[in-house]
């Protein structure tokens, strides 16, 4: 499959890139600083591009069967989330690319009580603006006319290894026997590429956890 990925130099994006390459996909990594991409491969093309520029998004996603966004704003720059989301939607629409798969947030996942995770006691106050930005971005994606999938991580993403042993859900938080909601970055990447290889959540959101 031909896949374009944005945000391939972050912790999550880098791991998704590795997973894509391991599975034999032909990948275009669109990054702000190409020198930060540590991998070289005959199936990997690294290009410099700006997610805030819909013309560039269209140029780099044209002819791609799937587009992955692992973009995440820095704390204090949450307002950029909506600008990036609009640019992504517009660029993918113009390019008539395949589906857009977005790495989103966990704050809007529902708990057993029916409330969103971000509204539960103990959710860090400093993270709430970012969680709200993710929700607003999700609403934009959901209302768009492109083919999309939104992937929410578990509440905690660890640096643990890829095990392939995880559970998949839709709108509810996945917790283990101890009530913990976590996933390793390796398993998160594996679940995302699983969805690319065998689509189960077209025009919907899903999540993973142990």
């Amino acid at each position: 499959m031909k896949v374009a990925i944005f945000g391939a130099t972050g912790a999550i994006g880098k791991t998704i890139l590795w997973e894509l390459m391991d599975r034999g996909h032909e990948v275009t990594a669109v990054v702000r600083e190409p020198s930060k991409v540590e991998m070289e491969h005959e199936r990997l093309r690294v290009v410099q591009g700006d997610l805030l520029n819909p013309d560039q998004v269209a140029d780099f996603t044209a002819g791609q069967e799937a587009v992955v966004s692992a973009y995440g704003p820095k704390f204090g720059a949450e307002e950029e989330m909506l600008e990036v989301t609009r640019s992504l939607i517009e660029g993918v629409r113009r390019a008539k690319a395949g589906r857009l798969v977005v790495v989103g947030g966990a704050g809007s996942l529902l708990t057993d009580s029916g409330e969103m995770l971000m509204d539960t006691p103990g959710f860090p106050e400093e993270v709430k603006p970012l969680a709200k930005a993710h929700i607003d971005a999700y609403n934009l994606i959901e209302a768009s006319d492109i083919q999309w999938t939104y992937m929410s991580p578990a509440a905690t993403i660890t640096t643990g290894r890829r095990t392939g042993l995880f559970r998949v859900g839709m709108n509810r938080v996945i917790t283990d026997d101890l009530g913990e909601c976590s996933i390793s970055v390796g398993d998160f990447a594996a679940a995302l590429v699983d969805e690319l290889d065998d689509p189960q959540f077209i025009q919907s959101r899903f999540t993973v956890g142990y």
Side-chain angles (χ1 to χ4, degrees):
M1 185 184 300
K2 290 184 178 180
V3 182
I5 178 171
F6 293 89
T9 57
I12 293 176
K14 182 188 302 182
T15 311
I16 294 171
L17 175 59
W18 290 340
E19 186 74 23
L20 286 167
M21 299 308 298
D22 283 346
R23 299 204 201 182
H25 295 295
E26 186 176 327
V27 181
T28 297
V30 186
V31 296
R32 288 180 177 175
E33 296 183 41
S35 62
K36 290 187 176 181
V37 178
E38 301 167 356
M39 179 187 295
E40 292 185 8
H41 196 282
E42 61 183 6
R43 286 186 282 102
L44 174 63
R45 180 170 71 114
V46 179
V47 296
Q48 185 174 30
D50 184 0
L51 252 180
L52 289 169
N53 186 324
D55 292 331
Q56 291 189 17
V57 173
D59 287 343
F60 293 130
T61 59
Q64 302 293 326
E65 295 165 80
V67 180
V68 175
S69 173
Y71 158 83
K74 297 178 180 178
F75 284 105
E78 292 83 5
E79 68 281 353
E80 188 178 271
M81 175 74 75
L82 289 183
E83 296 178 54
V84 164
T85 302
R86 292 189 184 99
S87 179
L88 263 175
I89 293 170
E90 179 62 22
V92 169
R93 181 192 295 116
R94 288 187 201 172
K96 298 181 180 178
R99 62 194 297 214
L100 171 64
V101 180
V102 175
V103 175
S108 59
L109 291 172
L110 299 177
T111 64
D112 289 340
S113 66
E115 61 186 336
M116 290 192 299
L117 182 63
M118 67 173 289
D119 293 331
T120 58
F123 191 90
E125 284 294 327
E126 65 273 16
V127 180
K128 285 187 176 180
L130 180 58
K132 178 63 167 59
H134 275 295
I135 292 172
D136 292 341
Y138 172 66
N139 290 337
L140 283 178
I141 294 166
E142 187 178 35
S144 73
D145 58 359
I146 63 172
Q147 190 178 81
W148 60 271
T149 297
Y150 187 91
M151 185 177 182
S152 287
T156 301
I157 298 183
T158 71
T159 57
R161 64 186 179 88
R162 181 192 192 283
T163 68
L165 303 174
F166 49 81
R167 291 178 291 154
V168 178
M170 293 188 71
N171 294 311
R172 288 191 171 273
V173 172
I174 297 175
T175 55
D176 60 20
D177 293 340
L178 299 176
E180 299 294 325
C181 176
S182 67
I183 191 75
S184 73
V185 68
D187 280 333
F188 181 85
L192 186 145
V193 182
D194 283 349
E195 173 61 20
L196 286 180
D197 290 344
D198 182 19
Q200 302 293 317
F201 299 100
I202 301 292
Q203 310 302 103
S204 65
R205 186 251 291 269
F206 77 106
T207 187
V208 291
Y210 294 126

